[in-house]
């Protein structure tokens, strides 16, 4: 009786009930265990018959429990496989992907163009000493250019560099040091993309912005080299082979002669290369003999040119971006529009 009853309950038990049944039947104080224990008190004849009977029951119940357990486990596995099934045909969730910031992209484009022309990429620190940022560049202590540049002064007489030009000084000093005879010297050909700082803030000025400096020093370097280099660069950057480029006489303390760099555009439509208007995009000139001498380079033996262009400026012109401040606002919609897929 015990066996049939137990078997019919085992046949429909769920996982927990099955465990309860196992304990109730075969556990330490289970029914069957108790019956087996009771054998000890019986006389040998009765014990033999009862023992054989109980062993058959025990085997049958053990098998029934195991069989039901196997069925339940298989069903549980089926259920889990069904629940965890991956539908490879389901549409992808709309994940946010990153993009290259337009300033980084322009910097990379500039670097690629100048690399192809044999320039190396250099950088320098944001915090500069007064000598590298001003004095060595022929900007004396009371020179009006210091006021013009709205310098951020730091404690201890250092400054946030107002332009990338101090890296000209760092590069020429290193070069002069490592080429004491200067007879075997390889020419300097570098560009310096980087952050610059001026206390100024409106739609076209930001207290932090980016420039790319260019510097070439060697023997027999002329203004013709400067002009050819800038024309090649600007036509490649804007991808306009006939882009008009004009060098307009100007003044910088660290170059002589100095020239503003203009490109042709249409002021009304903003179209680069079209129209008859001129737009300034940077400064340039032949490195001033005083600057060469300040760096320990003999100006009678070596000449060179330098230029500086604004990275934001070039990016705004190339992509028709109207307000400089948008570059720094981290507006995700704007970044998604003007950024570039990584
Ligand atoms: N440093 C100048 C500026 O920031 C630009 C420049 C660089 C001009 C090199 C001439 C030569 O305005």
């Amino acid at each position: 009786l015990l066996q049939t009853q137990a078997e019919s309950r085992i046949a429909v038990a769920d996982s927990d009930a099955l465990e309860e049944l196992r304990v109730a039947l075969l556990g330490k104080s289970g029914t069957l265990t108790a019956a087996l224990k009771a054998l000890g008190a019986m006389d040998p004849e009765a014990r033999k018959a009862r023992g054989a009977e109980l062993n058959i029951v025990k085997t049958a119940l053990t098998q029934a429990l195991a069989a039901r357990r196997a069925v339940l486990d298989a069903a549980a596995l089926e259920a889990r496989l069904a629940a965890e099934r991956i539908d490879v045909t389901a549409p992808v969730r709309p994940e946010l992907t990153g993009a290259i910031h337009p300033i980084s992209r322009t910097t990379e484009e500039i670097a690629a163009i100048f690399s192809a022309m044999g320039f190396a990429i250099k950088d320098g620190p944001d915090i500069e000493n007064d000598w590298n940022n001003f004095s060595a560049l022929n900007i004396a202590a009371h020179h009006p250019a210091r006021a013009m540049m709205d310098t951020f002064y730091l404690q201890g007489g250092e400054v946030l560099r107002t332009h990338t030009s101090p890296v000209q000084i760092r590069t020429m000093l290193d070069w002069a040091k490592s080429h004491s005879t200067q007879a075997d010297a390889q020419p300097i050909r570098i560009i310096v993309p980087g952050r610059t700082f001026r206390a100024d803030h409106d739609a076209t000025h930001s207290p932090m912005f980016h420039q790319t400096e260019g510097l070439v020093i060697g023997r027999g370097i002329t203004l013709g080299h400067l002009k050819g280099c800038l024309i090649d660069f600007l036509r490649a950057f804007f991808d306009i082979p006939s882009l008009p480029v004009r060098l307009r006489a100007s003044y910088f303390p660290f170059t002589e002669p100095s020239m503003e760099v203009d490109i042709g555009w249409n002021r009304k439509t903003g179209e680069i290369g079209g129209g008859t208007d001129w737009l300034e995009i940077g400064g340039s000139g032949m490195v001033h003999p005083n600057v060469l001498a300040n760096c320990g380079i003999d100006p009678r033996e070596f000449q060179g040119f330098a230029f500086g262009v604004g990275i934001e400026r070039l990016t705004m012109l190339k992509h028709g971006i109207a307000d400089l401040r948008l570059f720094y606002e981290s507006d995700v919609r704007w970044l998604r529009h003007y950024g570039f897929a990584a």
Side-chain angles (χ1 to χ4, degrees), residues 163 165 168 198 211 213 252 254-255 283-284 306-308:
H163 49 183
S165 301
Q168 286 190 34
R198 293 183 201 178
Q211 288 188 335
E213 194 81 7
F252 300 102
F254 34 93
T255 46
S284 70
F307 57 87

Side-chain angles (χ1 to χ4, degrees), residues 104-179:
S104 304
R105 174 59 174 250
T106 297
T107 304
E108 283 167 18
E109 287 172 0
I110 293 172
I113 294 167
F114 279 104
S115 296
M117 292 199 262
F119 284 66
I121 320 288
K122 276 214 63 168
D123 60 13
D126 292 350
I127 296 174
E128 264 298 2
N129 61 52
D130 188 276
W131 195 77
N132 283 341
N133 196 81
F134 293 121
S135 308
L137 287 162
N138 207 31
I139 309 174
H142 298 291
H143 196 285
R146 294 197 180 207
M148 251 164 54
M149 288 208 200
D150 298 307
T151 310
F152 285 113
Y153 288 93
L154 305 178
Q155 271 171 4
E158 290 180 306
V159 299
L160 291 180
R161 67 177 181 190
T162 55
H163 49 183
T164 41
S165 301
V167 186
Q168 286 190 34
I169 303 301
R170 289 174 172 274
T171 306
M172 288 190 279
L173 284 172
D174 284 350
W175 187 80
K177 239 181 274 158
S178 58
H179 299 93

Side-chain angles (χ1 to χ4, degrees), residues 133-326:
N133 196 81
F134 293 121
S135 308
L137 287 162
N138 207 31
I139 309 174
H142 298 291
H143 196 285
R146 294 197 180 207
M148 251 164 54
M149 288 208 200
D150 298 307
T151 310
F152 285 113
Y153 288 93
L154 305 178
Q155 271 171 4
E158 290 180 306
V159 299
L160 291 180
R161 67 177 181 190
T162 55
H163 49 183
T164 41
S165 301
V167 186
Q168 286 190 34
I169 303 301
R170 289 174 172 274
T171 306
M172 288 190 279
L173 284 172
D174 284 350
W175 187 80
K177 239 181 274 158
S178 58
H179 299 93
S180 50
T181 67
Q182 298 186 1
D184 63 334
Q186 290 295 307
I188 295 175
R189 248 180 287 153
I190 57 154
I191 60 158
V192 185
R195 267 189 289 271
T196 51
F197 306 85
R198 293 183 201 178
D200 211 347
H201 194 44
D202 62 33
T204 54
H205 296 88
S206 155
M208 190 281 296
F209 61 104
H210 299 76
Q211 288 188 335
T212 295
E213 194 81 7
L215 177 69
V216 170
I217 302 286
R219 288 190 175 81
I221 302 293
T222 70
L223 204 148
H225 295 127
L226 166 60
K227 191 165 181 182
C229 176
L230 285 171
I231 290 173
D232 281 355
F233 161 62
L234 290 167
R235 289 182 176 170
F237 178 77
F238 286 104
D239 201 15
I240 304 174
S242 61
L243 178 70
V245 178
R246 178 176 79 171
L247 296 187
R248 177 168 39 85
S250 181
Y251 173 76
F252 300 102
F254 34 93
T255 46
E256 182 60 37
S258 301
M259 286 143 297
E260 224 89 56
V261 185
D262 297 341
I263 58 172
W265 77 320
N266 184 327
R267 189 178 302 280
K268 276 207 201 85
T269 63
E271 187 204 341
I272 304 296
T276 52
D277 305 311
W278 292 101
L279 184 68
E280 181 200 322
I281 56 105
S284 70
M286 300 306 291
V287 177
H288 196 292
N290 290 354
V291 175
L292 291 169
N294 286 340
C295 298
I297 296 175
D298 185 347
R300 289 165 305 184
E301 198 176 345
F302 293 95
Q303 301 76 37
F305 66 78
F307 57 87
V309 291
I311 295 182
E312 282 83 347
R313 188 81 195 260
L314 289 176
T315 310
M316 289 167 82
L317 293 171
K318 189 164 174 172
H319 301 290
I321 298 168
D323 191 328
L324 177 72
R325 288 168 289 205
L326 294 165

